[in-house]
Every structure is written in C-alpha cells, then in structure tokens.
Amino acid sequence: MNLKEAEEGKEYIVKQIDTDDEELDAFLFSLGCYSGEPITVVSQLKSGCTVSIKDGRYNIDNELAKAILI
C-alpha cells in the first residue's frame, strides 16, 4: 500500500521508498522519511497529500506519495 491509498489521520510505518532518484531519496531521508519511521497522512489533496513526519508537516505530490510504501 502507498501513501496515496492511506486514510487521513491514521499513523503508518514507512516500509520502503520506491524511487530511482538518489537525490530524492536523500531529500526524504533529511525530512525523516525512511524505512521504519512513522508517517501520518494529514489530508489528501487533488494534487497530492499533506503528511506529518516527526515534528513537521510536508506537502508531497501524487507521484511521490505513490513511491512511499507503507
């Protein structure tokens, strides 16, 4: 299951980041988004979703939301 399919307000654990872009992987890691970390979808938007990772909230697009497996 990926973040785009997640329920709003429910906490999930990141299982895998499925991208071929090392720079994007490094960016997500710097936000605290990596395997084993909790992530919560705050709201689903037409163009993506808002997620809560650690103490921050971030807007991510649909393509990235589909690459984060939970």
Side-chain angles (χ1 to χ4, degrees):
M1 183 166 143
N2 62 45
L3 274 185
K4 194 62 194 154
E5 301 164 339
E7 280 183 54
E8 289 182 13
K10 187 173 176 188
E11 185 174 271
Y12 297 91
I13 301 295
V14 175
K15 290 192 175 157
Q16 180 181 342
I17 309 286
D18 192 16
T19 67
D20 295 329
D21 186 346
E22 287 184 28
E23 197 172 296
L24 185 57
D25 287 343
F27 173 71
L28 288 171
F29 188 82
S30 73
L31 298 180
C33 182
Y34 46 85
S35 294
E37 282 298 309
I39 188 168
T40 303
V41 176
V42 177
S43 63
Q44 292 283 5
L45 310 169
K46 195 173 198 178
S47 60
C49 59
T50 302
V51 297
S52 175
I53 305 168
K54 298 194 184 257
D55 291 332
R57 285 189 178 196
Y58 307 98
N59 290 322
I60 59 175
D61 66 9
N62 284 328
E63 188 176 322
L64 185 52
K66 290 177 184 174
I68 300 173
L69 305 178
I70 51 177

